Amino acid sequence: YFVSDRDGTMNIWAMKEDGTDKRQLTKHSGWDVRGPEIDRGRIVYQLGADLWLLDAKTGVHRRITHDLWDEKEPTWTPAGDAITFASDRGAPVVLHPVKKPGGFGAYGIYQVRVADDSLALVIDTAGDDHSPAWSPDGTKLAFISDRGGAPDLWLLRLGGGAMKPLLRNQNPEARIEGPAWSPACDRLAYAADFRPGGEAQGGNLDV
């Protein structure tokens, strides 16, 4: 499966391993498909400000968020029964938003159940929380947040564990992206640029 704009808009396509039998699975126009994630033959993706779900075998797709909030960066839970994502649905609607110490940032991390599209809050801190990444065993959630005043990679251990920063970055202009777990759940890879205007470099750390 891959994303292509060969029809003028980024859509999801499929092909055989040898590159033959290319088939267009979604036919959206006006908004590009972004951030597709596959699990058990199902692909979740962002379209505009909403999340959609595609059954790759049948080609049936449906919208799973139905609101005016911005939903982005979807990822599957290890069990495959829910999708975790970042959303600004908890932020107040104001013309000129200004963060307040101890208040909530624009984005928090939420979860939607595939069975009934029910929503639940996972994390909402005083910063912007986004880019959720589950450990393969489902016991830890990594995410990016600037709750400490600068973007950092944070870790939440399920079962009552406290959230903690992993990089302890102090540069508010830094850029951190794409946390990804090792199969053994003991290391995290990420991309980071701690110099404004520089290029992102890869890194990894023990967790």
Side-chain angles (χ1 to χ4, degrees):
Y1 302 101
F2 63 99
V3 175
S4 173
D5 64 352
R6 62 186 60 204
D7 71 335
T9 302
M10 285 291 189
N11 274 290
I12 297 175
W13 291 65
M15 66 180 180
K16 293 182 178 179
E17 292 183 0
D18 62 4
T20 62
D21 191 26
K22 295 181 179 66
R23 295 173 290 114
Q24 186 173 356
L25 300 184
T26 62
K27 296 182 179 181
H28 299 294
S29 61
W31 296 99
D32 288 337
V33 166
R34 298 173 59 192
E37 290 262 341
I38 190 168
D39 178 84
R40 298 168 176 85
R42 303 161 301 168
I43 302 174
V44 62
Y45 59 93
Q46 178 185 346
L47 186 73
D50 285 299
L51 303 182
W52 288 65
L53 186 63
L54 167 70
D55 186 317
K57 293 182 178 179
T58 66
V60 175
H61 59 280
R62 65 183 180 90
R63 183 175 169 181
I64 57 176
T65 57
H66 306 266
D67 50 57
L68 298 177
W69 303 109
D70 184 28
E71 273 86 46
K72 63 180 184 177
E73 301 168 337
T75 188
W76 288 95
T77 59
D81 59 345
I83 297 160
T84 308
F85 61 96
S87 174
D88 62 353
R89 63 181 51 239
V93 179
V94 294
L95 295 178
H96 302 285
V98 177
K99 289 184 181 180
K100 296 181 179 179
F104 291 118
Y107 285 86
I109 295 176
Y110 294 79
Q111 198 156 280
V112 57
R113 286 178 53 83
V114 174
D116 56 12
D117 294 353
S118 59
L119 285 162
L121 174 66
V122 180
I123 298 170
D124 202 350
T125 74
D128 285 333
D129 310 316
H130 61 98
S131 301
W134 286 101
S135 61
D137 62 5
T139 64
K140 293 171 281 191
L141 178 66
F143 62 101
I144 297 171
S145 177
D146 61 358
R147 62 175 299 184
D152 209 329
L153 189 59
W154 286 73
L155 181 69
L156 171 66
R157 295 181 184 273
L158 272 64
M163 291 183 285
K164 68 175 183 179
L166 299 177
L167 299 177
R168 300 189 181 279
N169 169 51
Q170 301 297 315
N171 180 5
E173 301 299 321
R175 180 166 53 96
I176 302 172
E177 301 175 342
W181 287 90
S182 66
C185 308
D186 59 349
R187 296 187 68 79
L188 264 174
Y190 61 92
D193 170 22
F194 298 108
R195 302 164 302 167
E199 294 184 357
Q201 303 292 323
N204 64 84
L205 48 89
D206 293 324
V207 288

